[in-house]
Amino acid sequence: MTARDTIIIGGGHNGLVCATVLAKSGQKVTLVEANQALGGMAAECEFHPGFKTSLAQTLYAMPQSLISELDLCAHGLEISTESLPLVALSPSGAHQTVAARSLNGNKESDIKAYPQYAAMLSKFAGALAPFWERTMPRVGATGLSDLMTFGKLGLKLRMLGKQDMLEFLRVATLPMRDLLDEYFEDDVLKAALCWDALAGSQLAPRSPNQAVLTLLNRRSGKDGGQHAIPKDGMVGLIRALERAAIQAGVTIRTDCPVRSVQVAGDENGQRCTGVELANGEILYSERVVSSADPQTTFLKLVGAAHLEVEFTNRIRRLRTKGYVARVHLALSALPRFEGLDSPSGRLIIAPTMDTIEFAWDAAKYGELPDEPVMEVLIPSLHAPSIAPQGQHVLTANVMYVPHDLKSGWTPEKRDAFLAIIMDKLEAYAPGIRDLVLASELLTPADLAAQYHVTDGHWHHCEPAIDQLLMMRPTYEAAQYATPITGLYLCGAGCHPAGDVSGNPGRNAAKEILS
Ligand SMILES: Cc1cc2nc3c(=O)[nH]c(=O)nc-3n(C[C@H](O)[C@H](O)[C@H](O)COP(=O)(O)OP(=O)(O)OC[C@H]3O[C@@H](n4cnc5c(N)ncnc54)[C@H](O)[C@@H]3O)c2cc1C
């Protein structure tokens, strides 16, 4: 029997971060990943010979403090691009480009308003930033460190000044539509500016609650949340994380699915004793940290027999349905988007906020949108190694594609929907169809199967106001510890939620070490 302090389930980026922080503090850590490749939803996959990509492609949410703490640049992380601009594609060809602090827009009033909007977001994102990087206090907690977290949050907001603090409280739960209507006039621009608040969630522009909070969370990563692509693509980050883990002494086993978390019970309650692998091997450890999503962790790996009924019900009721489908195209050459010198930014196809809203309406009822909305990227422009020379990879995150299609997903439905998406792309990039060497559409159900994530959700479970902060994923497991002694969570289903930030992984490790 190997003496080990901790087993980490899942080698997504959060599992790797958690493992490395623990190992750097002297723990003996074994990480087991079900897939062959490390990285989870940020893992590299080859979808056509010579054409590679990963679901997560742009780095925006990871704080500089984590990159420095794990010394990721020394382990080979290189951010090869300048920040990627957001491009609001217009059906008329009058596209607009949004950079960190400036807008190349169509309306004078919008160009003037944009720096004020960006400054407002930066100010509020800065005030909230420390809270994504620490454990949220337990509801009703009275311990000194919990009270200090509350106190610091209050102080941070108070330090904004009275006027800004009131404005923050007003803005934080506004629907994105109301916020954008206050600042801007142009419909295409407003639709594009919604994207980063909504991507991956079950929300639309008119939805109240947490969209603005998600946007502020995303803007608190390195360089104010500007999107960049690592050298060689997101795999560049994953390789650096793997090297950091190995150097810290983590034992990594891939192609190694965990079948169950081993739990023993006595009069003192339930505690974990290790994991059983799919091949029947048992790995022993009194501490297991799962970066699998909460439903996988508790319902599949632990099992309801070891959990209280009320807790099991809360986990079962988590909203987990993915709303994002992914399109991959292998292209024989760079497509030409009419009206753009180069398609090198993040291109948003959503002509109005209502188009987004209508797509959401359809998805709510299990239907496909008539007019799909999407974020298009050509990552091979920034990471040439992911496609053969002169050829390109195009990806599209298509929002509001239901996991549970009412009429059921069939190969014919998939082909028909891909044809609608291709029509949309063809409208903006005439001739793109002729460049396609291979294509694939991954529905949320496909993502669930390939990446072992319940219902294929971008954040493992919806970052809704009732599943956020000290209630993420639910209040008995929101401080990374769970009702089973020795079992912790460290993935996107924990505070502060998904995206490639590493915050859940690092926060969980710090909580374990505290
Ligand atoms: C289409 C799409 C595009 C996205 N684009 C971006 C983007 O550009 N930038 C960004 O920041 N974020 C993006 N995201 C979100 C981001 O990818 C995720 O939020 C993030 O990768 C979650 O990381 P994680 O480590 O918590 O979990 P995961 O990446 O899901 O990793 C969990 C790991 O656990 C493993 N696992 C599960 N069960 C078991 C088991 N029983 N035994 C062993 N291993 C197991 C899985 O195989 C997986 O490797 C995107 C998501 C989607 C769906």
Side-chain angles (χ1 to χ4, degrees):
M1 193 168 106
T2 316
R4 64 171 73 76
D5 299 297
T6 302
I7 293 169
I8 307 276
I9 303 177
H13 82 284
N14 276 315
L16 285 164
V17 166
C18 187
T20 308
V21 175
L22 292 177
K24 275 167 74 103
S25 79
Q27 288 202 6
K28 259 179 108 56
V29 180
T30 300
L31 178 148
V32 282
E33 164 56 42
N35 282 339
Q36 260 177 1
L38 289 172
M41 289 195 267
E44 186 174 64
C45 66
E46 189 169 44
F47 66 97
H48 183 66
F51 292 84
K52 297 177 202 149
T53 185
S54 51
L55 292 184
Q57 302 185 96
T58 61
L59 195 57
Y60 48 87
M62 187 167 276
Q64 179 58 48
S65 62
L66 180 59
I67 296 176
S68 306
E69 182 178 334
L70 300 188
D71 215 0
L72 294 181
C73 296
H75 290 292
L77 174 66
E78 262 182 67
I79 311 284
S80 66
T81 52
E82 293 297 308
S83 308
L84 294 172
L86 183 76
V87 182
L89 289 184
S90 164
S92 71
H95 311 313
Q96 302 172 72
T97 305
V98 186
R101 283 188 201 81
S102 63
L103 163 71
N104 187 355
N106 293 337
K107 293 207 159 87
E108 267 315 308
S109 58
D110 288 347
I111 295 170
K112 233 169 116 192
Y114 183 75
Q116 293 161 23
Y117 173 75
M120 177 272 294
L121 290 180
S122 298
K123 194 184 323 169
F124 295 159
L128 284 183
F131 299 94
W132 313 124
E133 296 178 41
R134 58 189 304 148
T135 301
M136 284 288 103
R138 214 169 274 281
V139 179
T142 51
L144 188 60
S145 113
D146 296 319
L147 293 178
M148 273 174 69
T149 300
F150 280 130
K152 273 187 189 155
L153 178 55
L155 191 65
K156 271 273 182 190
L157 295 180
R158 195 66 194 84
M159 277 164 60
L160 287 170
K162 187 172 171 200
Q163 200 49 45
D164 281 342
M165 185 177 76
L166 292 173
E167 184 62 2
F168 168 78
L169 294 174
R170 185 184 75 83
V171 158
T173 53
L174 271 185
M176 275 309 286
R177 183 187 182 97
D178 294 12
L179 180 62
L180 291 168
D181 278 345
E182 283 181 19
Y183 280 84
F184 303 105
E185 285 182 39
D186 187 274
D187 277 342
V188 183
L189 175 69
K190 286 188 276 190
L193 289 174
C194 277
W195 196 266
D196 288 338
L198 307 176
S201 77
Q202 297 174 352
L203 294 184
R206 284 179 198 266
S207 311
N209 291 332
Q210 80 279 4
V212 175
L213 280 179
T214 300
L215 184 61
L216 295 177
N217 182 354
R218 286 177 165 159
R219 290 181 75 108
S220 55
K222 180 181 171 314
D223 300 330
Q226 290 301 301
H227 290 242
I229 298 185
K231 183 165 180 280
D232 297 329
M234 197 56 106
V235 73
L237 171 73
I238 299 303
R239 284 191 198 125
L241 285 171
E242 182 182 5
R243 283 190 202 114
I246 289 169
Q247 194 185 72
V250 177
T251 303
I252 296 179
R253 293 179 61 176
T254 54
D255 215 357
C256 201
V258 170
R259 181 188 290 155
S260 66
V261 172
Q262 301 284 287
V263 179
D266 56 24
E267 67 280 7
N268 297 319
Q270 307 271 339
R271 64 191 164 76
C272 72
T273 58
V275 300
E276 182 189 6
L277 303 180
N279 64 9
E281 188 184 347
I282 308 271
L283 304 183
Y284 295 96
S285 175
E286 287 180 2
R287 191 182 302 107
V288 174
V289 187
S290 175
S291 69
D293 65 87
Q295 286 196 349
T296 297
T297 302
F298 293 111
L299 305 183
K300 289 194 194 144
L301 301 182
V302 172
H306 296 293
L307 299 166
E308 298 226 336
V309 176
E310 285 299 313
F311 176 77
T312 310
N313 287 340
R314 270 189 283 283
I315 294 293
R316 199 166 272 139
R317 281 189 220 115
L318 290 174
R319 293 190 299 290
T320 56
K321 300 291 180 202
Y323 261 25
V324 185
R326 181 56 169 263
V327 170
H328 294 144
L329 301 182
L331 300 175
S332 59
L334 187 63
R336 214 183 63 74
F337 281 73
E338 269 186 1
L340 281 186
D341 290 340
S342 159
S344 66
R346 297 191 296 134
L347 316 179
I348 305 297
I349 299 184
T352 65
M353 290 196 283
D354 276 346
T355 323
I356 302 180
E357 199 75 35
F358 296 149
W360 180 70
D361 284 341
K364 263 188 326 196
Y365 299 108
E367 314 273 4
L368 288 170
D370 293 333
E371 195 169 343
V373 292
M374 64 193 95
E375 174 187 4
V376 175
L377 188 67
I378 306 190
S380 47
L381 276 174
H382 311 282
S385 62
I386 66 172
Q389 207 180 4
Q391 304 189 327
H392 284 279
V393 169
L394 179 146
T395 66
N397 291 334
V398 186
M399 279 279 284
Y400 311 108
V401 178
H403 175 277
D404 296 332
L405 189 62
K406 198 153 76 185
S407 50
W409 281 107
T410 60
E412 294 72 31
K413 295 251 172 58
R414 193 191 301 263
D415 288 349
F417 190 52
L418 183 56
I420 292 174
I421 293 166
M422 287 307 303
D423 286 345
K424 244 321 115 210
L425 288 171
E426 185 74 33
Y428 289 90
I432 191 170
R433 261 211 180 83
D434 300 334
L435 305 178
V436 176
L437 302 171
S439 61
E440 72 172 357
L441 168 73
L442 299 174
T443 68
D446 299 326
L447 299 183
Q450 285 186 24
Y451 294 89
H452 305 108
V453 177
T454 302
D455 299 333
H457 199 296
W458 177 303
H459 296 275
H460 287 188
C461 57
E462 183 67 8
I465 204 79
D466 59 313
Q467 300 182 174
L468 265 187
L469 303 168
M470 54 278 284
M471 296 203 289
R472 184 163 184 83
T474 180
Y475 46 81
E476 298 101 324
Q479 285 73 33
Y480 309 99
T482 74
I484 308 272
T485 303
L487 176 65
Y488 292 79
L489 298 177
C490 76
C494 307
H495 172 72
D499 296 334
V500 179
S501 72
N503 283 328
R506 178 165 65 164
N507 290 352
K510 299 243 149 112
E511 190 62 21
I512 289 165
L513 295 171
S514 66

